[in-house]
């Protein structure tokens, strides 16, 4: 009897080992696309994979859990706050809305073509048959939508709750400085944020709001928040690299075009797939619809499409070339100068309400991304040393490999960097520290030994100073082949001034994010 039990036990163990071995063999033989899908985190929420079109509330808490923030001593007090934020969720631009109307025409043509060829339409999703653009007939675009207003309003409330002692002074425009670009969605974001920040502190309406000032600079001269507009060397680089980026993306779009055409029976083109991917992002982010355009793609394909967007942001706005972020040096200098003024005010023991406590800025992804790069965020290993030497980094790895650089983390709608200056009088080595928060979470600074709580002098020495060997004009100047005559130069300047004034409120085709 005992022998039989032992034999049964051995047989069960052998059977289990055989089953595990068979499963491993099966996984190795499965198509690579399926294996990639297994690596994608489950459950797969497409709203977290929309690159820079991601809505803030969906992605703001996607953080690296392996990083342990510093414990800030109770004796340390925040004395100044810098905020650099992107505008909130916005409507598509006029150019993109026209693209969606062209997509509707293309989809109808594809279905008619399939009918003429007497192909089965059983695998074509029902919504495709009579789809029309949600923005059809709309003549204006790019504005901040209600979801975007909520993002900034709520952010203002949370920041006030996080730093109550710093933000409890009576409002004055010199104490709480609010700046935005002249693009309406940025200034509207500033207004929504300040309404949250100062809610209940005034006498206007049931919410007891109060009036506040938002200052803007002309697009043609805004070196702090729209440095990308006037940096000619950056414009030249971007124009030269855009075709190369499209080439990098083509194999992915070709692969997905082939796969989607095979599944549906419709002869999709690469442009169709590009437009459907854009529609997926807009539906998921703006309308919370994830079962139409996004439903055409499987998680593996969505992860690859996200990567193509992240790749574009990396090359054309991020670490792809040093000019991308070095042109943001005026902004970093302005941040440091504001902190130095705060230190001076604190040392002189000036009365509260007589000096600036916060400098709050609202701009675009083209502002937030370079600023994040100047701080050295989203780097791994020795990459920060390469940045200091102005050497190129490798491109973000393709899925299913994991990567630190994701547009949904780097610059989602309402994405932001906060630099909080602390006074720590009990500390012997340094009395002032800078804490950096990205999307409200402390993040490590490679230039400060991967700490999020950096001595102010170290912050200036290791993060600001390495970039100071160039200035904005030296970085952005392009040598002219021939110097124009003085009269011609004056005439060109006059035309430029007139054009800038005339187009101040118009939307460019090369729309900033």
């Amino acid at each position: 009897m005992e022998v039989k039990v032992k034999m049964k036990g051995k047989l069960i163990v052998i059977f289990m080992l055989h089953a595990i071995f068979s499963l491993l063999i099966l996984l190795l033989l499965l198509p690579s696309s399926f294996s990639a899908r297994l690596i994608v985190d489950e459950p797969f929420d497409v709203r977290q994979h929309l690159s820079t079109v991601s809505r803030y509330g969906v992605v703001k808490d996607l953080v690296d859990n392996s990083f342990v923030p510093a414990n800030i001593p109770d004796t340390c007090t925040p004395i100044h706050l810098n905020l650099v934020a992107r505008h909130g969720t916005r409507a598509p631009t006029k150019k993109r809305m026209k693209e969606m109307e062209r997509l509707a025409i293309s989809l109808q043509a594809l279905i008619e073509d399939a009918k003429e060829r007497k192909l089965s339409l059983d695998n074509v999703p029902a919504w495709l048959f009579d789809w029309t653009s949600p923005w059809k007939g709309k003549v204006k675009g790019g504005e901040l939508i209600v979801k975007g207003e909520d993002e900034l309003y709520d952010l203002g409330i949370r920041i006030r709750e996080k730093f109550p002692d710093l933000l409890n002074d009576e409002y004055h425009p010199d104490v709480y400085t609010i700046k935005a670009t002249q693009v309406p969605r940025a200034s509207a974001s500033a207004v929504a944020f300040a309404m949250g920040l100062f809610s209940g502190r005034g006498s206007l309406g049931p919410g007891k709001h109060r009036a506040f000032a938002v200052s803007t600079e002309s697009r043609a001269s805004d070196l702090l928040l729209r440095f990308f507009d006037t940096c000619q060397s950056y414009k030249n680089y971007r124009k030269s690299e855009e075709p190369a980026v499209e080439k990098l993306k083509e194999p992915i779009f070709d692969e997905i075009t082939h796969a989607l055409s095979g599944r549906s029976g419709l002869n999709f083109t690469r442009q169709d797939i590009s437009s459907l991917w854009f529609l997926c992002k807009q539906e998921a982010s703006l309308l919370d619809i994830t079962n139409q355009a996004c439903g055409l793609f499987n998680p593996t394909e969505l992860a690859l499409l996200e990567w193509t967007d992240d790749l574009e942001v990396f090359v054309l706005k991020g670490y792809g070339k040093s000019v991308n972020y070095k042109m943001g040096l005026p902004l970093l200098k302005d941040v440091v100068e504001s902190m130095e003024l705060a230190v001076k005010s604190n040392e002189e023991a000036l009365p509260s309400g007589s000096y600036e406590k916060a400098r709050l800025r609202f701009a675009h992804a083209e502002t937030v991304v370079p600023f994040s790069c100047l701080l050295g965020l989203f780097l791994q290993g020795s990459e920060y040393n390469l940045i200091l030497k102005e050497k190129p980094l490798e491109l973000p790895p393709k899925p299913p490999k994991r990567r630190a650089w994701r547009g949904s983390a780097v610059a989602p709608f309402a994405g932001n960097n906060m630099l909080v200056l602390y006074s720590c009088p009990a500390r012997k080595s340094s009395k002032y520290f800078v804490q950096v928060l990205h999307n409200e979470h402390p993040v490590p600074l490679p230039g400060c030994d991967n700490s999020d709580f950096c001595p102010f002098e170290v912050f200036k020495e290791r993060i600001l100073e390495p970039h100071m060997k160039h200035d904005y004009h030296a970085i952005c100047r392009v040598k002219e082949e021939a110097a124009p005559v003085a009269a011609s130069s004056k005439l060109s300047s006059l035309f430029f001034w007139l054009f800038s004034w005339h187009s101040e409120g118009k939307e460019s085709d090369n729309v900033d994010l």
Side-chain angles (χ1 to χ4, degrees), residues 319 325-326 332 370-394 444-451 454 458-469:
Y319 289 117
Y325 50 91
K326 286 191 177 295
L332 180 59
F371 186 66
S372 297
C373 292
L374 284 171
L375 297 175
L377 306 187
F378 305 104
L379 293 175
Q380 295 176 306
S382 61
E383 289 180 330
Y384 186 67
N385 293 327
L386 294 176
I387 291 302
L388 295 181
K389 297 174 184 176
E390 298 185 17
K391 292 185 178 180
L393 303 183
E394 291 186 7
L445 290 173
C448 197
D449 302 321
N450 285 319
S451 171
C454 184
V458 175
F459 182 90
K460 290 192 290 185
E461 178 188 344
R462 296 187 188 176
I463 294 174
L464 175 65
E465 287 302 325
H467 299 300
M468 291 294 288
K469 56 187 173 184

Side-chain angles (χ1 to χ4, degrees), residues 328-395:
L329 186 57
L331 175 56
L332 180 59
K333 288 171 64 177
D334 185 68
V335 167
V336 172
E337 285 168 7
S338 74
M339 290 193 281
E340 288 177 331
L341 289 172
V343 168
K344 184 173 183 292
S345 300
N346 193 63
E347 291 292 314
E348 295 175 358
L350 296 181
S352 185
S354 65
Y355 58 91
E356 185 185 61
K357 284 195 167 184
R359 200 169 286 190
L360 312 165
R361 308 166 184 82
F362 301 87
H364 310 274
E366 288 87 347
T367 314
V368 174
V369 173
F371 186 66
S372 297
C373 292
L374 284 171
L375 297 175
L377 306 187
F378 305 104
L379 293 175
Q380 295 176 306
S382 61
E383 289 180 330
Y384 186 67
N385 293 327
L386 294 176
I387 291 302
L388 295 181
K389 297 174 184 176
E390 298 185 17
K391 292 185 178 180
L393 303 183
E394 291 186 7
L395 295 176

